[in-house]
Amino acid sequence: MTSPKPLSFSTLFSSRLSLALLLSLLAILAGCSSKPPRAPDTLHPVSSLPRLESNPIGPSVNREASLWTPVPWSDLPGFDADNLSDAWPAWMHSCERATSNWLSVCTQVRQLTKASDAEKKAWMRNALQPYLVRKNDGNAVGMLTSYYEPVMDAARRPGNGFNVPLYRLPTGYKGVGEWFTREQIEGSASVQPFLQGREIAWLKDPVDAMVLHIQGSGRLNLREPDGRVVQVRVAFAGTNNQPYKSIGRWLLDRDLIRDASWPGIKQWVRNNPGRVQEMLWSNPRYVFFKEEALPAHEQANGPRGAQGVPLTPQRSIAVDRRSIPYGTPVWLMTAGATLNEKRLVLAQDTGSAIVGAVRADYFAGWGEEAGNVAGRVKQDLYLWTFWPKNVALP
């Protein structure tokens, strides 16, 4: 996720009551960078990975929040099987914001765009050194969650059931210090003068709005006053700086559900429509957006992550930048009921809940299918970074 985005969500019961959103909200419960947290809040155990056999070829390097240990290429499980052509567009995006450490490598990345997969892999082995990422205590097992970009129907003006606003930053708000809570913003007449005229669009369901707040960005199929429907993106602009509180945890702590799986939450919502507002107001954090055009040539890209480049579905991750710098290519291995992957990804985003050495948030894409994936992911992972052989580690 970035300054904008938003974390994954089964408790989405709070969403459009679409299965994808329902699944999403649960996972969303932990977030990215300045975005709202978006980490799955479930009681489901993380899945187990096979024991890692590591063969260090040099001393570990201490980073601020992790240890990087150089290993041979043979340590990377599944490297020969990955289709690097699918990852290359994400790497090209990172090269748009390359630091001095990567300028020379990025020149070669661009030259290899049309190269075969075998040529790409041979070049990587020659130019880059893999490092196993571990926690400071030496543990290499971390946690993977996932996030996505919701797609929702909206209207430019209120009416016909569209009565839940999405706001730009409030008038006069500088982003410093805590502002009004979600309950005050939605329920107090004294706050409305700061928000009047700041509406971007209107949704039908307050839970849909919460999903956008948790994810940090989304696509709107927006009906204009003249009847045209255009697709736009609402991206993260800021928050009220109130603490994030998990809706799923709120339900669990009150014994309103036995687990935070989407079926349980969905059933609770159906049975308790009168308590939905109470549940939503249990999270005081509120997110403000900015509207971005989404022309046809950009619709194949996700929102911009913290690195400042568009995210690529299934090839972009959010990381703790104290452990892994933005733009770093990463080898990811995870195993679970939803994702069993060994693939090249790029560190292009971050999140307030994405903290720790071996911690990643996997950008699943946009729409219902991506929401179904993102809402279910909470599982173990291993990470390996790649670094240019002729460049000193930062």
Side-chain angles (χ1 to χ4, degrees), residues 84-383:
L84 295 190
S85 295
D86 291 342
W88 228 249
W91 205 339
M92 294 281 284
H93 283 316
S94 278
C95 284
E96 295 170 8
R97 299 294 295 270
T99 62
S100 58
N101 295 319
W102 288 96
L103 290 177
S104 176
V105 168
C106 279
T107 297
Q108 299 172 66
V109 168
R110 296 185 183 96
Q111 293 170 346
L112 288 164
T113 300
K114 297 183 179 180
S116 69
D117 216 54
E119 289 171 326
K120 289 182 172 74
K121 288 170 181 171
W123 169 79
M124 287 186 65
R125 286 188 170 97
N126 182 62
L128 306 178
Q129 170 62 52
Y131 291 83
L132 174 65
V133 180
R134 295 182 295 148
K135 303 172 186 177
N136 289 326
D137 63 4
N139 187 1
V141 180
M143 185 174 72
L144 180 71
T145 52
S146 181
Y147 64 111
Y148 83 121
E149 189 177 31
V151 180
M152 299 179 176
D153 293 332
R156 183 68 73 180
R157 294 177 181 172
N160 298 319
F162 291 94
N163 58 11
V164 180
L166 299 176
Y167 289 112
R168 297 179 179 86
L169 287 170
T171 301
Y173 180 55
K174 304 300 183 183
V176 178
E178 292 185 351
W179 206 60
F180 299 102
T181 66
R182 176 179 297 275
E183 181 176 359
Q184 292 169 327
I185 290 170
E186 296 179 346
S188 175
S190 64
V191 181
Q192 291 310 301
F194 300 101
L195 298 170
Q196 188 171 5
R198 306 302 293 169
E199 302 90 348
I200 294 175
W202 302 77
L203 305 179
K204 284 188 174 181
D205 192 327
V207 177
D208 287 352
M210 176 65 82
V211 170
L212 281 174
H213 286 204
I214 293 174
Q215 290 301 299
S217 71
R219 300 183 183 204
L220 302 181
N221 293 320
L222 182 62
R223 182 171 295 278
E224 299 284 10
D226 62 5
R228 292 179 302 116
V229 176
V230 298
Q231 190 170 84
V232 302
R233 173 173 283 132
V234 282
F236 178 91
T239 76
N240 59 351
N241 292 328
Q242 293 283 345
Y244 174 82
K245 298 293 181 63
S246 162
I247 291 174
R249 177 52 54 190
W250 184 86
L251 292 167
L252 290 168
D253 287 347
R254 285 157 182 76
D255 294 324
L256 298 175
I257 56 176
R258 294 291 182 87
D259 67 86
S261 68
W262 80 262
I265 294 172
K266 180 179 179 181
Q267 189 60 53
W268 184 88
V269 172
R270 288 174 173 172
N271 294 342
N272 300 275
R275 298 196 67 181
V276 170
Q277 188 69 79
E278 178 187 4
M279 179 199 66
L280 294 176
W281 283 356
S282 71
N283 174 23
R285 174 172 283 196
Y286 198 91
V287 173
F288 304 105
F289 299 93
K290 56 186 176 182
E291 180 179 340
E292 296 180 351
L294 196 59
H297 69 276
E298 292 185 7
Q299 291 181 6
N301 294 324
R304 291 183 180 272
Q307 190 191 4
V309 303
L311 303 179
T312 302
Q314 303 172 27
R315 294 292 180 169
S316 295
I317 59 171
V319 297
D320 184 339
R321 58 182 174 179
R322 299 173 308 153
S323 174
I324 302 175
Y326 296 149
T328 304
V330 176
W331 189 252
L332 177 149
M333 177 183 179
T334 187
T338 302
L339 287 179
N340 287 278
E341 299 289 353
K342 303 178 186 70
R343 60 175 49 200
L344 178 66
V345 294
L346 276 295
Q348 296 175 324
D349 204 0
T350 193
S352 59
I354 312 306
V355 178
V358 193
R359 179 72 174 93
D361 209 16
Y362 178 88
F363 180 62
W366 48 86
E368 182 171 324
E369 183 176 351
N372 283 331
V373 171
R376 291 186 173 101
V377 174
K378 183 182 180 183
Q379 55 194 60
D380 292 347
L381 87 158
Y382 295 128
L383 296 175

